Amino acid sequence: MTKQERIELEAAAFRDLLAHLNSRKDVQNIDLMTLAGFCRNCLSKWYKAAADDMDIKLSMDQAREAIYGMPYAEWKARYQKEASPAQQAAFARTQQGEDKP
C-alpha cells in the first residue's frame, strides 16, 4: 500500500465514522466518553490540532461544525440532553479507573 492509498483509506474511514455518529444523535457524548474514552468534542479537538500542526487556519467553531455537521450550539440545542445521575456516575467511575480493564 502506498502512503497516498493509506491516507485515502484513513480519510474514508473517518468520513464513515462521522456519518455513523451523525446517524446516532441519540448517543450522548457522555455515553461515548464512558464507553470509548472519547466523544465528538474530542474528535473536534483532534481535528483542530491536526489543522494547527499543518498550519491550516481553522477555528474551534469550524472544527466542531466539521465533526457535528452543524454549528455546535445548534447541535447542543437539538440533541444534547441533561446527563442522568446514572450517566454521571458511570462517567465518574471511568475517570477514577474503576471501569477500566
Side-chain angles (χ1 to χ4, degrees):
M1 176 184 315
T2 68
K3 181 179 178 181
Q4 185 60 37
E5 288 169 332
R6 183 183 54 79
I7 290 168
E8 290 175 21
L9 287 172
E10 290 170 351
F14 183 72
R15 286 189 299 271
D16 287 346
L17 172 62
L18 292 182
H20 180 74
L21 290 173
N22 188 43
S23 74
R24 293 299 313 269
K25 291 179 179 82
D26 60 309
V27 177
Q28 297 294 297
N29 281 332
I30 193 166
D31 296 322
L32 288 170
M33 283 297 296
T34 299
L35 295 172
F38 77 97
C39 68
R40 294 170 183 91
N41 288 327
C42 297
L43 288 172
S44 298
K45 291 174 185 174
W46 298 337
Y47 194 82
K48 169 75 168 104
D52 291 347
D53 288 346
M54 298 172 69
D55 292 323
I56 297 171
K57 289 188 179 193
L58 184 77
S59 71
M60 194 61 216
D61 286 339
Q62 290 170 318
R64 284 186 179 129
E65 190 165 340
I67 301 303
Y68 284 89
M70 64 184 69
Y72 180 59
E74 181 181 340
W75 192 93
K76 278 179 63 172
R78 288 173 134 187
Y79 304 109
Q80 186 167 311
K81 299 175 184 170
E82 188 72 29
S84 71
Q87 287 171 312
Q88 292 174 6
F91 178 72
R93 282 192 304 274
T94 64
Q95 298 305 294
Q96 297 168 357
E98 294 175 22
D99 285 354
K100 294 181 181 175

